[in-house]
Amino acid sequence: MQCRLCHYENLLEFLNLGEQPLANKYPNENEFATEDFFPVKVFFCPTCKSVQLGTAISRERMFEDYFYLSSVNTGLVTQYEALAQTLSDAKFVVDIGSNDGISLKPLKRMGIKAIGVEPSINVSKIANDAGLTTITAFFDAPTVQKIITEYGKPDVITGLSMFSHLGDPHDFIGNVKELLTDDGRFILEIEYVDTLLKSMSFERFYLDRISYYSVTSLENLFQQHGMYLSDVEETAAHGGSLRATVQKKGKGHAPTESVARHIAYEREALTPGTLTEFGREARAQISAFRAKLEEYKAAGLRVAGFGAPARVSTLCNFGQIGPELIEFIVDETPLKQNRFSPGTHIPIVPMLHLKEHTPDVFVVFVHEYFDVVKKKLSGSHRYLFPIPAREVT
């Protein structure tokens, strides 16, 4: 397999997650028989320090009808409100992959001109209905020309938790460069490879996301397009992300010390040996998670889940965990309710379901927001984090 970013030929396969469904396609009962599964193997590029999936699904199939709403995540709302404050000097912001307008809303309150670009028809309608100007389209050359013609060129472009979804990052960067003012900033936020490794977050590998980035891989990629990283910082978004600021060469400021420091660190930390050990540990961790659920079942305890993000699909299909071990999953996203987890078909229910069905144990699938989860759940429960499998209070 060839690296999508730097074209290196001999990638290291370090993890095989088996056959996986599309993680953000929550089926109803009538769709069980037609659900598709694809092989998910995870590879490491030792040259540019990126991680990539071996299977790529059409972006149109993946995103034109989508079930993830960012604003349901109250922790993420707070983080993006804080990001908006750092953009107070912006004249015009374009947010790519704007979802339901989570980052547009605080910018609008601040009086900053801002529009979104969102390919999911159902999700972009939610944003537009809320008065958050959103173009329903993929971010491609025609969309760029539409924005320039109707709105002008932005001095800030943001791409928050969407860059890993790209089928062709080279084409995307060319479009960003065309749209952005010469002295403008492209701010992207991605799940950071190093954080994924340290936290054993193999459940975050799923078919929505094709590539997973390090600072080294981002620097290599943007250099190919006459752009450079002017700053990077680690943030709390999605359990640990990397926020990078990218500018055109010769038009911005000198890179901060943080860029060089991260690249030097990755030279030693991200190696074939590191990734091979990660794959071995991932297999051990999913076995331990399943064993803990089987222990609860043997003890006669009722188990439910809280939160049905895409990672539920990876965990449950990799571990072959279905409703026989997790009775149902509570999720506050209306689009997911009264549907089922991809592949393993665990019922997804609203909070009201708890009035008549009280579990003994909650598997917290959104463990990075555990403090928020505990406030939402009343009564006496035990809580289990899945990876590594451990009870928390």
Side-chain angles (χ1 to χ4, degrees):
M1 176 179 162
Q2 185 182 75
C3 177
R4 296 184 182 92
L5 309 183
C6 72
H7 310 301
Y8 180 75
E9 289 287 352
N10 299 312
L11 304 191
L12 168 71
E13 179 189 329
F14 65 91
L15 181 60
N16 185 345
L17 292 167
E19 296 286 316
Q20 293 277 342
L22 302 183
N24 266 306
K25 300 292 187 185
Y26 298 83
N28 57 42
E29 289 185 84
N30 294 332
E31 295 168 326
F32 287 177
T34 57
E35 203 170 9
D36 288 331
F37 291 77
F38 304 88
V40 176
K41 296 180 179 180
V42 193
F43 296 83
F44 172 64
C45 177
T47 298
C48 73
K49 309 288 189 183
S50 67
V51 170
Q52 298 165 42
L53 301 189
T55 300
I57 307 301
S58 156
R59 301 296 89 185
E60 288 76 15
R61 179 176 182 183
M62 193 73 71
F63 294 112
E64 284 186 349
D65 184 39
Y66 210 49
F67 289 87
Y68 175 70
L69 297 180
S70 299
S71 295
V72 172
N73 187 330
T74 54
L76 203 59
V77 169
T78 300
Q79 290 161 15
Y80 285 174
E81 286 175 345
L83 172 62
Q85 293 299 318
T86 70
L87 303 178
S88 59
D89 60 342
K91 299 178 179 67
F92 174 30
V93 178
V94 171
D95 184 34
I96 305 170
S98 53
N99 200 261
D100 59 4
I102 183 173
S103 64
L104 299 177
K105 188 176 294 184
L107 292 170
K108 183 179 180 180
R109 283 200 303 265
M110 294 166 63
I112 296 173
K113 177 183 175 183
I115 66 170
V117 178
E118 171 55 50
S120 299
I121 297 169
N122 58 326
V123 177
S124 63
K125 183 179 186 303
I126 292 171
N128 278 311
D129 287 349
L132 304 168
T133 304
T134 304
I135 298 172
T136 306
F138 283 94
F139 183 72
D140 53 18
T143 301
V144 166
Q145 291 308 312
K146 176 182 175 66
I147 295 171
I148 293 172
T149 300
E150 297 183 10
Y151 301 95
K153 288 195 169 190
D155 58 325
V156 175
I157 299 175
T158 57
L160 308 174
S161 193
M162 55 71 58
F163 200 70
S164 295
H165 296 296
L166 298 173
D168 186 348
H170 294 282
D171 185 64
F172 179 90
I173 293 170
N175 288 323
V176 166
K177 191 174 180 181
E178 172 66 20
L179 179 60
L180 191 65
T181 59
D182 283 346
D183 60 349
R185 296 170 288 163
F186 173 43
I187 300 171
L188 62 94
E189 195 166 77
I190 53 169
E191 289 182 306
Y192 183 28
V193 165
D194 185 62
T195 303
L196 294 178
L197 298 180
K198 286 178 177 176
S199 60
M200 280 306 304
S201 297
F202 61 87
E203 75 273 18
R204 293 182 183 270
F205 296 132
Y206 46 84
L207 289 158
D208 293 39
R209 294 175 173 165
I210 302 172
S211 301
Y212 300 78
Y213 294 87
S214 62
V215 176
T216 304
S217 60
L218 287 174
E219 176 71 0
N220 180 294
L221 179 60
F222 282 99
Q223 288 280 358
Q224 296 177 54
H225 295 272
M227 302 183 80
Y228 74 102
L229 299 188
S230 59
D231 189 29
V232 294
E233 62 175 314
E234 294 182 47
T235 75
H238 300 289
S241 297
L242 186 79
R243 184 177 295 162
T245 302
V246 185
Q247 296 178 266
K248 297 180 181 180
K249 282 187 177 179
K251 301 295 182 180
H253 303 285
T256 64
E257 176 273 339
S258 180
V259 176
R261 175 164 45 82
H262 276 82
I263 290 174
Y265 165 77
E266 291 169 0
R267 193 175 298 120
E268 303 298 325
L270 303 181
T271 66
T274 304
L275 275 295
T276 298
E277 174 58 23
F278 176 89
R280 186 202 66 77
E281 182 63 19
R283 292 185 289 274
Q285 293 284 2
I286 196 65
S287 295
F289 176 41
R290 181 180 173 87
K292 191 64 177 176
L293 295 175
E294 290 173 337
E295 177 186 316
Y296 289 144
K297 182 177 181 179
L301 299 177
R302 296 183 65 188
V303 179
F306 191 94
R311 73 192 85 154
V312 167
S313 179
T314 300
L315 281 172
C316 291
N317 285 280
F318 188 31
Q320 298 182 319
I321 296 164
E324 75 285 352
L325 293 175
I326 298 176
E327 187 176 325
F328 58 84
I329 300 173
V330 177
D331 194 280
E332 296 180 283
T333 307
L335 293 177
K336 297 178 185 178
Q337 292 166 1
N338 303 312
R339 289 178 172 266
F340 296 82
S341 66
T344 56
H345 305 153
I346 302 170
I348 300 173
V349 300
M351 289 284 288
L352 283 173
H353 190 79
L354 296 177
K355 287 190 174 182
E356 297 182 3
H357 305 272
T358 306
D360 302 295
V361 182
F362 273 106
V363 179
V364 185
F365 287 113
V366 286
H367 53 81
E368 65 269 36
Y369 303 108
F370 182 47
D371 288 344
V372 176
V373 170
K374 281 198 298 184
K375 291 177 182 177
K376 293 177 182 289
L377 297 173
S378 58
S380 178
H381 307 289
R382 294 160 70 175
Y383 297 100
L384 177 73
F385 282 10
I387 305 297
R390 65 200 188 277
E391 284 201 24
V392 295
T393 58

